[in-house]
Amino acid sequence: MSATNIDGGAFRTFNFASAISAYRFVEIHTDGTARAAVSGSARAIGSTIEDVAAGNNGTVKLFYPTFFATAETAIALGGLAATTGSGLVTTAAANTGIVGVALEAGVADEVIELAVPLTQ
């Protein structure tokens, strides 16, 4: 049986630091590159739909659509985000609920795009 994606079109293109095969889970790092997800990764946001060579761009089918949120403080690209008491997002501290992975860096009061990771 060949694999077929059934979805609403939640795809994004990322640059890959290392070669990766199709249908592998992907995580985003703070340098902005996508890589094969490691065991227990909190940054896993989707899976590849094609083989990608090292240094090339490849398409990732996201687990969920992305969303936007306002940053309370600076958040790094690929950083894990958590909510604050005022409905904003900030860099997640240890043992806090992660609501997203920053797909772009942001400073205080800036709206950033987040991907929802698989591990919740």
Side-chain angles (χ1 to χ4, degrees), residues 54-120:
N56 285 356
N57 291 333
T59 303
V60 173
K61 181 187 179 301
L62 302 175
F63 297 133
Y64 308 97
T66 63
F67 63 97
F68 294 94
T70 303
E72 180 177 81
T73 58
I75 296 180
L77 171 68
L80 299 175
T83 58
T84 68
S86 55
L88 304 172
V89 293
T90 189
T91 300
N95 301 318
T96 60
I98 297 166
V99 297
V101 178
L103 295 181
E104 56 191 349
V107 296
D109 298 320
E110 186 173 15
V111 175
I112 61 170
E113 185 176 18
L114 298 167
V116 179
L118 182 61
T119 55
Q120 290 296 305

Side-chain angles (χ1 to χ4, degrees), residues 23-43:
Y23 307 110
R24 303 293 174 99
F25 278 5
V26 171
E27 63 184 23
I28 304 301
H29 285 266
T30 55
D31 65 1
T33 61
R35 302 175 191 178
V38 297
S39 179
S41 174
R43 288 185 170 86

